[in-house]
Short mmCIF file of all heavy atoms in Angstrom, two decimals:
data_model
loop_
_atom_site.label_atom_id
_atom_site.label_comp_id
_atom_site.label_asym_id
_atom_site.label_seq_id
_atom_site.Cartn_x
_atom_site.Cartn_y
_atom_site.Cartn_z
N LEU Q 31 96.27 124.20 83.91
CA LEU Q 31 96.42 122.82 84.01
C LEU Q 31 97.52 122.49 85.09
O LEU Q 31 97.36 121.52 85.86
CB LEU Q 31 96.83 122.17 82.61
CG LEU Q 31 95.74 121.99 81.60
CD1 LEU Q 31 96.35 121.47 80.33
CD2 LEU Q 31 94.63 121.07 82.19
N LEU Q 32 98.53 123.30 85.11
CA LEU Q 32 99.69 122.98 86.02
C LEU Q 32 99.27 123.22 87.45
O LEU Q 32 99.86 122.69 88.35
CB LEU Q 32 100.92 123.91 85.63
CG LEU Q 32 101.51 123.47 84.35
CD1 LEU Q 32 102.66 124.52 84.01
CD2 LEU Q 32 102.03 122.07 84.22
N GLU Q 33 98.13 123.94 87.67
CA GLU Q 33 97.70 124.18 89.03
C GLU Q 33 96.86 123.11 89.60
O GLU Q 33 96.32 123.14 90.74
CB GLU Q 33 96.94 125.51 89.04
CG GLU Q 33 97.85 126.72 88.93
CD GLU Q 33 97.03 128.03 88.84
OE1 GLU Q 33 95.74 127.91 88.86
OE2 GLU Q 33 97.62 129.06 88.65
N LYS Q 34 96.57 122.00 88.75
CA LYS Q 34 95.71 120.89 89.24
C LYS Q 34 96.35 120.21 90.38
O LYS Q 34 97.60 120.26 90.50
CB LYS Q 34 95.51 119.92 88.04
CG LYS Q 34 94.69 120.51 86.90
CD LYS Q 34 93.33 120.80 87.27
CE LYS Q 34 92.59 121.42 86.10
NZ LYS Q 34 91.20 121.78 86.53
N GLY Q 35 95.61 119.56 91.16
CA GLY Q 35 96.04 119.00 92.46
C GLY Q 35 96.96 117.86 92.30
O GLY Q 35 97.80 117.70 93.31
N SER Q 36 97.06 117.12 91.25
CA SER Q 36 97.91 115.95 91.21
C SER Q 36 98.21 115.68 89.68
O SER Q 36 97.52 116.14 88.77
CB SER Q 36 97.26 114.73 91.87
OG SER Q 36 96.07 114.31 91.04
N ASP Q 37 99.19 114.74 89.49
CA ASP Q 37 99.50 114.30 88.16
C ASP Q 37 98.31 113.63 87.49
O ASP Q 37 98.08 113.80 86.33
CB ASP Q 37 100.67 113.36 88.20
CG ASP Q 37 101.99 114.17 88.50
OD1 ASP Q 37 101.97 115.39 88.41
OD2 ASP Q 37 102.97 113.47 88.92
N ALA Q 38 97.53 112.83 88.27
CA ALA Q 38 96.39 112.10 87.68
C ALA Q 38 95.38 113.14 87.19
O ALA Q 38 94.79 113.02 86.17
CB ALA Q 38 95.82 111.20 88.79
N ASP Q 39 95.15 114.17 87.99
CA ASP Q 39 94.14 115.25 87.56
C ASP Q 39 94.61 115.91 86.28
O ASP Q 39 93.78 116.13 85.40
CB ASP Q 39 93.96 116.25 88.69
CG ASP Q 39 93.34 115.67 89.91
OD1 ASP Q 39 92.50 114.73 89.74
OD2 ASP Q 39 93.44 116.28 91.01
N LEU Q 40 95.95 116.21 86.26
CA LEU Q 40 96.39 116.77 85.06
C LEU Q 40 96.28 115.92 83.92
O LEU Q 40 95.87 116.35 82.75
CB LEU Q 40 97.92 117.14 85.24
CG LEU Q 40 98.72 117.65 84.03
CD1 LEU Q 40 98.17 118.97 83.58
CD2 LEU Q 40 100.17 117.82 84.46
N LEU Q 41 96.61 114.62 83.95
CA LEU Q 41 96.48 113.67 82.90
C LEU Q 41 95.00 113.61 82.38
O LEU Q 41 94.73 113.62 81.24
CB LEU Q 41 96.90 112.26 83.27
CG LEU Q 41 96.88 111.20 82.26
CD1 LEU Q 41 97.76 111.52 81.10
CD2 LEU Q 41 97.22 109.84 82.89
N ARG Q 42 94.08 113.50 83.39
CA ARG Q 42 92.63 113.37 82.93
C ARG Q 42 92.20 114.64 82.20
O ARG Q 42 91.47 114.59 81.25
CB ARG Q 42 91.84 113.19 84.19
CG ARG Q 42 91.82 111.67 84.64
CD ARG Q 42 90.74 111.38 85.68
NE ARG Q 42 90.88 112.21 86.86
CZ ARG Q 42 91.59 111.80 87.92
NH1 ARG Q 42 92.17 110.61 87.87
NH2 ARG Q 42 91.70 112.58 88.95
N GLU Q 43 92.71 115.84 82.75
CA GLU Q 43 92.30 117.09 82.12
C GLU Q 43 92.82 117.15 80.73
O GLU Q 43 92.17 117.56 79.74
CB GLU Q 43 92.86 118.24 82.90
CG GLU Q 43 92.36 119.68 82.49
CD GLU Q 43 91.02 119.98 83.05
OE1 GLU Q 43 90.48 119.17 83.89
OE2 GLU Q 43 90.42 120.92 82.63
N MET Q 44 94.05 116.72 80.50
CA MET Q 44 94.64 116.75 79.16
C MET Q 44 93.94 115.80 78.19
O MET Q 44 93.68 116.21 76.98
CB MET Q 44 96.16 116.41 79.34
CG MET Q 44 96.97 117.46 79.99
SD MET Q 44 98.71 116.99 80.09
CE MET Q 44 99.27 117.12 78.41
N ILE Q 45 93.64 114.67 78.69
CA ILE Q 45 92.96 113.64 77.86
C ILE Q 45 91.59 114.12 77.49
O ILE Q 45 91.15 114.06 76.32
CB ILE Q 45 92.81 112.30 78.60
CG1 ILE Q 45 94.14 111.57 78.80
CG2 ILE Q 45 91.75 111.39 77.90
CD1 ILE Q 45 94.06 110.34 79.67
N GLY Q 46 90.92 114.77 78.46
CA GLY Q 46 89.57 115.35 78.15
C GLY Q 46 89.56 116.42 77.15
O GLY Q 46 88.78 116.52 76.31
N TYR Q 47 90.56 117.36 77.38
CA TYR Q 47 90.76 118.47 76.43
C TYR Q 47 90.95 117.96 74.97
O TYR Q 47 90.31 118.39 74.02
CB TYR Q 47 91.83 119.32 76.81
CG TYR Q 47 92.16 120.46 75.86
CD1 TYR Q 47 91.29 121.73 75.81
CD2 TYR Q 47 93.22 120.29 74.96
CE1 TYR Q 47 91.62 122.61 74.92
CE2 TYR Q 47 93.45 121.35 74.00
CZ TYR Q 47 92.66 122.42 74.02
OH TYR Q 47 92.85 123.44 73.04
N VAL Q 48 91.90 117.10 74.73
CA VAL Q 48 92.31 116.54 73.45
C VAL Q 48 91.08 115.74 72.83
O VAL Q 48 90.75 116.01 71.72
CB VAL Q 48 93.53 115.64 73.59
CG1 VAL Q 48 93.75 114.98 72.22
CG2 VAL Q 48 94.75 116.40 73.98
N ALA Q 49 90.39 115.00 73.69
CA ALA Q 49 89.26 114.22 73.14
C ALA Q 49 88.14 115.23 72.63
O ALA Q 49 87.59 114.97 71.65
CB ALA Q 49 88.74 113.26 74.18
#
Side-chain angles (χ1 to χ4, degrees):
L31 282 180
L32 295 177
E33 289 174 0
K34 295 294 178 182
S36 68
D37 289 343
D39 291 336
L40 174 61
L41 179 63
R42 285 194 294 271
E43 188 81 11
M44 293 178 68
I45 291 173
Y47 173 81
V48 173

